[in-house]
Amino acid sequence: MGNDYSLKIEKLKGRRYDEALKEFILSEAFHHSDYSDCIKYTLESMLEIDPSYAYKVYAVSGRVHEKIAKELKKRGFHADYRYQGELKTYSNILLYGDVEIVVIKKNIKDKPYKEIQMLAMELMDILQGDLSFKSLEYSDRTRIKITTLKPTCEISILPSVWINSQEYKKTKNEIYRGIAEFDFKHKKVKKYLPFLNIARINAKDQKVKGNLKSISRLLKTLRADNERKMDLNDAEINAIVYNLSNVDLRTDSGHLLTLLPVMEEKLNEIYINTASFNELLSPSGKDRIFAGRPDKKAEVGKLKTALSELIEDLKKDLEAANLTLDAEITYAAESIH
């Protein structure tokens, strides 16, 4: 077997550590099933993390939000606040994470990028010196990243401006409202519809009985645990999975492993077919995920290779147990400490 799954399981457990209980939060099946490490690693990675931990993250991020809003108001900055990130779709792989506070500046009078530069500096000034943070950094020059203490949560803060789409102007439905974020490191601006992306991921996942997010969690896990760093963010992985058809994603909970070759085929198509790579759309259907980013093709290739290796390792373990990827495999999701 080409991968050490006992080591990968240790990494997975590290993302599921409850600091208050001083225990790893894993499913009942993980503790009591006789499956191999490879099979347990795969199926455990696909499970949704107990939503109660999301509430704890929102409580922590809420305190950060309140601090920012209070201080910005004192300084004469008018802003709206929204949330995005993996907790909005419950496709996160960290027990305490990931969430992003979007700080959307209102009343733009100067060039937007100048106002966002000023906003970012004000946010850094407000947040510096907070003893409840383990770390604070703004190295990518797009979003501020903080790691909090007790519990250890990863929270991003994104300074941005509103972009009102034609659909929003007609309907006043906020899911059609976009934002613009500014990458000052590479001097780029990105305009997109985060709330429509979130709504469509959640809606499609319901239609396919949670399988979209199950596959998304597995791919994010492979990215996190791969020896070779993969430059694919959560939104890009979500978009790749979202582009599978509902038919491809439909199966029952006992046959989740049958989804893996389907996902492998999709990744391979995106990797080898230039048109598929360039035309891959976000869930909103408005943005080409990889257009103008040929460097991302190699990253898709890394993810495809990681999944292919996992599938081959699964096949070997399943064959030893007289099973195949198509076999029914029961894996209880109830959490146990």
Side-chain angles (χ1 to χ4, degrees):
M1 188 172 287
N3 290 288
D4 183 350
Y5 285 95
S6 63
L7 178 60
K8 289 183 180 293
I9 282 176
E10 288 305 308
K11 291 180 178 179
L12 184 150
K13 288 167 67 177
R15 291 189 291 271
R16 306 278 185 90
Y17 185 66
D18 185 317
E19 297 171 357
L21 296 174
K22 300 189 184 305
E23 293 176 340
F24 301 110
I25 306 303
L26 301 163
S27 70
E28 182 178 352
F30 181 88
H31 292 284
H32 299 304
S33 72
D34 294 325
Y35 297 132
S36 70
D37 283 351
C38 178
I39 296 171
K40 290 202 289 187
Y41 172 77
T42 302
L43 294 173
E44 191 72 22
S45 297
M46 298 171 87
L47 293 179
E48 178 182 298
I49 290 174
D50 187 335
S52 66
Y53 287 94
Y55 305 148
K56 295 177 183 178
V57 177
Y58 279 123
V60 174
S61 61
R63 290 194 289 272
V64 176
H65 171 181
E66 287 173 9
K67 177 175 183 172
I68 290 170
K70 182 179 179 181
E71 290 300 318
L72 283 180
K73 188 174 181 180
K74 282 183 183 177
R75 300 179 186 202
F77 282 78
H78 301 283
D80 287 327
Y81 300 86
R82 300 291 186 273
Y83 285 86
Q84 65 173 343
E86 297 311 275
L87 283 191
K88 294 296 290 183
T89 58
Y90 289 98
S91 60
N92 54 302
I93 64 171
L94 286 170
L95 198 67
Y96 297 110
D98 305 290
V99 70
E100 183 161 87
I101 304 168
V102 187
V103 182
I104 310 163
K105 191 169 188 312
K106 302 194 295 185
N107 304 329
I108 300 296
K109 297 175 182 177
D110 199 350
K111 292 180 180 178
Y113 78 89
K114 289 185 177 180
E115 298 216 19
I116 294 304
Q117 277 183 321
M118 188 179 297
L119 175 60
M121 293 304 101
E122 292 290 340
L123 288 168
M124 284 296 291
D125 185 60
I126 289 167
L127 296 168
Q128 282 174 345
D130 192 317
L131 298 179
S132 67
F133 298 163
K134 183 178 180 180
S135 65
L136 168 70
E137 55 103 355
Y138 183 45
S139 59
D140 75 352
R141 308 296 291 172
T142 301
R143 49 188 32 83
I144 297 164
K145 297 178 182 178
I146 62 176
T147 303
T148 64
L149 296 167
K150 297 181 180 180
T152 302
C153 301
E154 295 182 8
I155 299 170
S156 298
I157 301 161
L158 176 67
S160 61
V161 297
W162 283 119
I163 301 292
N164 292 330
S165 68
Q166 289 302 316
E167 289 92 340
Y168 172 72
K169 290 175 182 177
K170 290 177 185 175
T171 66
K172 299 302 179 184
N173 186 336
E174 190 162 286
I175 66 169
Y176 296 114
R177 206 174 191 188
I179 63 171
E181 63 180 55
F182 297 81
D183 179 347
F184 295 109
K185 189 174 184 178
H186 300 100
K187 297 182 180 179
K188 293 181 179 178
V189 60
K190 177 183 175 184
K191 301 175 183 179
Y192 60 106
L193 300 165
F195 313 116
L196 184 56
N197 286 334
I198 291 166
R200 287 190 171 170
I201 287 170
N202 287 334
K204 182 165 181 170
D205 187 65
Q206 280 192 322
K207 291 178 182 177
V208 298
K209 301 179 180 179
N211 294 338
L212 186 160
K213 295 178 188 178
S214 293
I215 291 293
S216 179
R217 291 185 204 103
L218 177 61
L219 294 185
K220 291 167 192 171
T221 299
L222 292 177
R223 176 196 60 191
D225 296 340
N226 199 58
E227 292 181 359
R228 300 169 67 198
K229 185 178 183 299
M230 293 184 201
D231 184 19
L232 288 172
N233 62 38
D234 292 332
E236 289 162 348
I237 288 177
N238 285 340
I240 290 170
V241 183
Y242 184 88
N243 275 269
L244 289 173
S245 71
N246 288 4
V247 172
D248 285 337
L249 283 166
R250 281 201 182 105
T251 192
D252 60 80
S253 60
H255 292 90
L256 290 178
L257 297 183
T258 62
L259 299 174
L260 272 57
V262 177
M263 188 71 257
E264 179 188 29
E265 183 178 347
K266 186 66 172 179
L267 284 167
N268 193 52
E269 175 197 330
I270 295 168
Y271 177 61
I272 66 174
N273 188 310
T274 300
S276 294
F277 175 80
N278 288 329
E279 294 170 10
L280 186 79
L281 291 174
S282 64
S284 71
K286 300 295 184 181
D287 309 301
R288 287 182 168 81
I289 295 297
F290 298 128
R293 294 296 309 275
D295 55 301
K296 290 285 185 175
K297 183 171 281 193
E299 306 309 310
V300 174
K302 290 178 190 176
L303 185 57
K304 186 266 176 188
T305 297
L307 180 58
S308 297
E309 289 176 355
L310 177 67
I311 291 171
E312 290 307 307
D313 291 341
L314 283 168
K315 286 179 177 178
K316 292 173 186 175
D317 281 11
L318 290 166
E319 184 179 0
N322 295 316
L323 297 170
T324 67
L325 287 174
D326 296 326
E328 182 172 1
I329 298 180
T330 303
Y331 197 82
E334 290 80 3
S335 293
I336 188 169
H337 303 159

